[in-house]
Each structure stands twice: as structure tokens, then as C-alpha cells.
Amino acid sequence: MNKPDNYLKVLALSLVVSLIVAVPLFAQMDKGMELYQHWEFQEAEKAFRQELQSNSGNFEARCYLGQTLLMQEKFEEALGIFSTAKERAEVKSGSPVADAYHVNLSLARAQLGLKRNEEAWKSLEDAERARPGTADVLVFRGVYHMQKQDLKKAARELEKAMEMDEENAYAHYYAGLVYLRQGHPAKAVDMLKMFLQLSPHAPEAFRAQTLITGLC
């Protein structure tokens, strides 16, 4: 066998090995995204962590990991991820989690979870600048006002969010909590029922159902 033939065999073998190594990497990312879309956040977290062990530079995987942590109320670690991600996020990245809007919104959610309200407000302002006029910014402004005990402002922001996007599940969820605190149990039940209809597998679904049961 001549040298060119040997070279081609070695090259082909190298390509096969490369593909064998690459497939698990892509598989972990794909697996994590599929689990995330099915609300299986614990398993999605594991998949994204495995992806990052092999490819620490995968910025989108890191942001998805942060999202899974948010949905499990692991706010401290999520805060660290999105604080770092903010420095790299671009206004338009083509990613549903890694652009400047989503990173700032996620950062605000982590800060609200930790009751770091004033920092959260600044992050919401940054999210608004990156993508003006979104329902989600209004939702978390409502959460901000709710945590500041300004229920009228909270209700106003959440009602605006629902007018802008009537299928925004979390606008209904937090509106239900606000109406309950305002002493409007019937309105609260309507909001929480709509939340369950829109997002029956959300982590907050059990709490919403418990509140509905207690109010009915």
C-alpha cells in the first residue's frame, strides 16, 4: 500500500474519532434543551452541566443552565451566572436565552428572588433598553412593586402585561397573588386558574392549585 493510501486511512480514522467525540457533546446540549422545554429542570440542569464540563465556552449552555437554576429557585448561583453573562451578552444574538434582553431579565429575576429589589429594577431598565415594550418586563416590575408592598402599582403593571400578552402565564400568576393580598379572592382564583391552564407543569403550579383549593 502506498503512502497516499496510508494518509487517507489515517485521515478517515481521525474524522471518525472526532465525530465519536463530538456527538456526545451535541447530545448533551440537545438533551438539555429538550428537557428544559418539557419543564424537567433538574435533569436539564444535569445535562447543561455535563455540556459545560466538555465545552466550558458554550455561552448559550451557560445561560440555559442559569435558566434551569432560576426555575428551581436556586437564585444565588443563577445570579452569578447572569452577572458574568451580562458582560458578554449582545443586543441581538439569535438565542432565546443569551441575548442582552434575556440575560438582563434573568438577572432581574434572580435579584428579585434574593430580595435585592433596587438592583433588580436597574436590570429591568437594562432589559427594557435592549428590547423596549415587552410584557415580561412589566411582569417583573409588578413583582418588584409587590415585594415593595405597593400593591396598586403591582396590579397596574401586571394588568398592562396581560393586555399586551393575554397568554403570559406569569402575569396571571403574580396578578393572582396581588389580588389575593388586596382582598379580592374571586379575581385571584380566576388569575390562578388561567395560570394553570397556560402552564400546568410550571414549578408554581402546585402552589397555585393549593391557593385555589383554599379559596374555593
Side-chain angles (χ1 to χ4, degrees):
M1 185 178 290
N2 56 33
K3 288 184 179 179
D5 288 337
N6 283 329
Y7 172 76
L8 289 173
K9 276 197 167 186
V10 170
L11 179 60
L13 181 60
S14 297
L15 288 171
V16 170
V17 171
S18 297
L19 287 171
I20 290 171
V21 171
V23 167
L25 301 184
F26 287 115
Q28 287 304 318
M29 185 66 182
D30 291 342
K31 178 182 176 182
M33 291 178 68
E34 183 177 358
L35 290 164
Y36 177 83
Q37 290 165 2
H38 286 85
W39 302 82
E40 297 180 35
F41 298 117
Q42 286 185 335
E43 294 303 313
E45 177 190 343
K46 292 177 185 177
F48 290 127
R49 287 192 190 280
Q50 289 177 5
E51 164 66 16
L52 289 166
Q53 284 178 356
S54 303
N55 184 8
S56 60
N58 189 331
F59 183 58
E60 188 171 32
R62 193 165 299 281
C63 290
Y64 267 114
L65 172 60
Q67 291 290 338
T68 68
L69 295 170
L70 281 178
M71 298 306 285
Q72 297 174 77
E73 299 188 351
K74 298 179 180 180
F75 297 122
E76 197 70 55
E77 186 177 359
L79 179 67
I81 287 174
F82 289 115
S83 295
T84 302
K86 183 170 182 171
E87 300 172 4
R88 291 185 53 188
E90 300 176 359
V91 174
K92 293 183 179 179
S93 70
S95 168
V97 292
D99 62 5
Y101 166 72
H102 285 99
V103 166
N104 280 296
L105 187 67
S106 300
L107 184 57
R109 289 172 62 191
Q111 289 162 336
L112 287 168
L114 294 167
K115 304 297 190 291
R116 295 166 67 165
N117 295 324
E118 303 315 316
E119 294 175 27
W121 186 262
K122 292 178 182 177
S123 296
L124 289 170
E125 289 180 326
D126 290 339
E128 175 71 15
R129 277 191 286 271
R131 188 182 299 179
T134 69
D136 283 335
V137 168
L138 293 171
V139 169
F140 290 103
R141 281 180 178 171
V143 176
Y144 167 87
H145 289 303
M146 182 176 70
Q147 293 191 167
K148 299 284 284 185
Q149 304 302 319
D150 193 335
L151 299 181
K152 287 184 179 180
K153 283 186 179 179
R156 195 178 307 130
E157 297 282 20
L158 292 162
E159 286 161 3
K160 286 180 186 176
M162 288 184 285
E163 287 174 9
M164 186 178 294
D165 179 7
E166 61 184 12
E167 294 188 355
N168 189 303
Y170 281 98
H172 290 85
Y173 175 72
Y174 288 114
L177 299 185
V178 169
Y179 291 149
L180 184 58
R181 293 187 187 185
Q182 287 181 317
H184 304 303
K187 290 176 70 175
V189 167
D190 288 343
M191 292 296 104
L192 294 170
K193 284 183 176 179
M194 181 57 71
F195 168 70
L196 290 175
Q197 183 178 326
L198 293 167
S199 292
H201 303 295
E204 297 84 359
F206 178 77
R207 184 186 181 194
Q209 186 59 64
T210 300
L211 288 171
I212 291 168
T213 302
L215 292 168
C216 291

